[in-house]
Amino acid sequence: STPDRKTMPESLLYFGSKAHEHLGNTDKEEFMKDAYMVQQNELGPEKSSVYQLAVQRLRNDFVHFTILHRLPDSWRLMAHRFCWDMDEQEFKTEKANRGADALLDNRFLKGMTRDEAEEIWDRLQERNRLDLALMEEADRIMDERITQMEAEKADGVLCNFLGKVKVTCGEDASSYEL
């Protein structure tokens, strides 16, 4: 039979910071073989209800999220969203190898050939279609939020607390707008 949401493990109903609390003693192999998630991955991002829910939550429920390969952008946006004065931060992001190169550089996988690494990478991409699509969507959402931040700053907004309260500074005192 085809798995449906009613048979979906409770652990997969949670996205974000509480996900680990709901995994409990779930065996990792069983979690990875979960028929519902295999089906959702095969459906792809266009038809997967799990993916659509994750995008909705990322877009609407998270005031801020960080993307490691975009750490400077993430921190600038975080400062704007939380009204934090972070001065000028220096960010040292390590070289980000992607794809098969990341596998070849992994110290635990020494001796792997380029062909083996590319085959494994292809399988990982296939197995993780939803994760990769969600990462692309997170990049788009961050681009939108940065564009909004830059427009607000051009209009004299110092920060936009939690994306709900725009803080400006008038001649006499600070002001805010809900």
Side-chain angles (χ1 to χ4, degrees), residues 19-165:
H20 67 280
E21 294 174 12
H22 299 281
L23 288 175
N25 294 326
T26 303
D27 179 77
K28 289 180 185 177
E29 287 301 315
E30 282 303 308
F31 182 76
M32 294 301 293
K33 292 178 189 174
D34 179 71
Y36 183 81
M37 287 308 297
V38 169
Q39 178 198 46
Q40 290 294 305
N41 191 57
E42 289 171 358
L43 288 172
E46 301 81 22
K47 296 180 181 177
S48 168
S49 61
V50 169
Y51 174 80
Q52 297 301 323
L53 179 61
V55 168
Q56 175 189 348
R57 288 184 175 173
L58 185 63
R59 184 172 290 283
N60 301 323
D61 297 345
F62 287 85
V63 172
H64 178 73
F65 54 86
T66 298
I67 299 176
L68 184 60
H69 68 268
R70 295 184 64 181
L71 195 56
D73 288 339
S74 295
W75 278 47
R76 280 188 321 120
L77 190 55
M78 181 171 55
H80 186 69
R81 283 286 176 113
F82 293 107
C83 294
W84 290 343
D85 182 12
M86 297 178 69
D87 298 323
E88 291 298 318
Q89 299 290 323
E90 287 193 32
F91 302 97
K92 181 180 178 187
T93 54
E94 294 188 24
K95 180 181 170 188
N97 285 336
R98 295 178 181 254
D101 290 333
L103 294 173
L104 288 170
D105 286 348
N106 188 310
R107 65 186 172 124
F108 298 108
L109 302 174
K110 292 289 182 202
M112 182 181 294
T113 67
R114 160 109 5 230
D115 288 342
E116 290 170 326
E118 287 177 2
E119 179 184 343
I120 290 171
W121 180 247
D122 289 345
R123 289 178 62 206
L124 285 170
Q125 286 182 297
E126 182 181 318
R127 174 91 186 209
N128 295 292
R129 287 174 61 197
L130 299 182
D131 293 328
L132 295 170
L134 187 60
M135 188 68 224
E136 289 174 10
E137 187 62 27
D139 270 324
R140 279 190 287 277
I141 293 169
M142 181 163 286
D143 287 340
E144 291 168 11
R145 290 180 179 183
I146 287 172
T147 299
Q148 177 187 356
M149 175 187 70
E150 289 169 348
E152 289 171 354
K153 288 194 175 284
D155 287 341
V157 174
L158 300 174
C159 62
N160 188 343
F161 187 67
L162 303 178
K164 297 178 181 181
V165 180

